[in-house]
Amino acid sequence: HIYSLFLDMIALIGHNHFKETIKEQKTSTISKGWEYFDKFSSLLSFIDANYAQDLTLEQVANYMGFSKFHFSRLFKVYTKTTFYNYLCHKRIQAAQSLLVSDLPITNIASQTGFNNSTTFCRCFKKFTNCSPTEYRNRFNNDNT
């Protein structure tokens, strides 16, 4: 429930930010901007629901109807981050919620879409400044 509220809040912030960006654009590009906004809102919902799948930049760009280069530029304008950073961040958020359980870290890595535990640990540390094991230990220490 909290995660859902958090996503709603992020969507609202993104919507407000995008509205401000559109105000700065020329009138002739506003309709294209709203079209992109709708497409990217739909895409972000898709990523949020399917982050554990093997999503590649090429597949998602093709799904959106853009070249991977044009898609990358638009994605960065819309989200202020790269596609891969956004996807990794979603995966790490899911992993954080799973790390409170007793599941092995390798299982958590595969359940959240990482190909191996090494990649998972590297990405986890990049976004949280600690390893998955350290995160789990901190959580367990905070709750005892």
Side-chain angles (χ1 to χ4, degrees):
H1 179 70
I2 293 172
Y3 183 71
S4 175
L5 292 173
F6 175 74
L7 291 177
D8 289 342
M9 183 179 67
I10 295 300
L12 182 61
I13 291 169
H15 186 272
N16 288 336
H17 173 73
F18 194 73
K19 282 173 48 176
E20 291 300 317
T21 302
I22 285 185
K23 286 179 184 178
E24 296 171 2
Q25 295 177 349
K26 295 181 181 177
T27 305
S28 64
T29 61
I30 288 178
S31 63
K32 185 62 86 175
W34 281 112
E35 177 186 336
Y36 287 169
F37 175 78
D38 289 339
K39 279 185 165 188
F40 277 93
S41 292
S42 173
L43 173 66
L44 294 180
S45 295
F46 175 80
I47 293 171
D48 292 346
N50 297 286
Y51 62 85
Q53 305 300 317
D54 185 24
L55 300 176
T56 66
L57 176 68
E58 291 80 10
Q59 290 169 331
V60 175
N62 190 39
Y63 170 78
M64 295 287 289
F66 299 121
S67 73
K68 65 181 182 178
F69 303 107
H70 187 60
F71 171 77
S72 293
R73 282 191 300 275
L74 290 175
F75 194 91
K76 183 120 185 190
V77 166
Y78 180 71
T79 64
K80 302 292 186 212
T81 189
T82 66
F83 167 73
Y84 285 113
N85 277 346
Y86 184 86
L87 180 59
C88 284
H89 190 258
K90 288 296 167 194
R91 289 174 172 174
I92 295 305
Q93 285 178 323
Q96 286 174 313
S97 65
L98 291 173
L99 282 167
V100 301
S101 71
D102 291 332
L103 282 172
I105 290 176
T106 54
N107 290 12
I108 293 172
S110 65
Q111 286 182 23
T112 54
F114 290 95
N115 292 330
N116 59 59
S117 58
T118 304
T119 304
F120 168 64
C121 291
R122 188 175 338 127
C123 189
F124 194 92
K125 189 159 188 143
K126 174 183 174 187
F127 283 94
T128 64
N129 293 322
C130 65
S131 72
T133 304
E134 291 170 340
Y135 182 87
R136 177 177 274 168
N137 291 340
R138 285 182 192 169
F139 181 81
N140 289 338
N141 289 338
D142 289 345
N143 288 329
T144 56

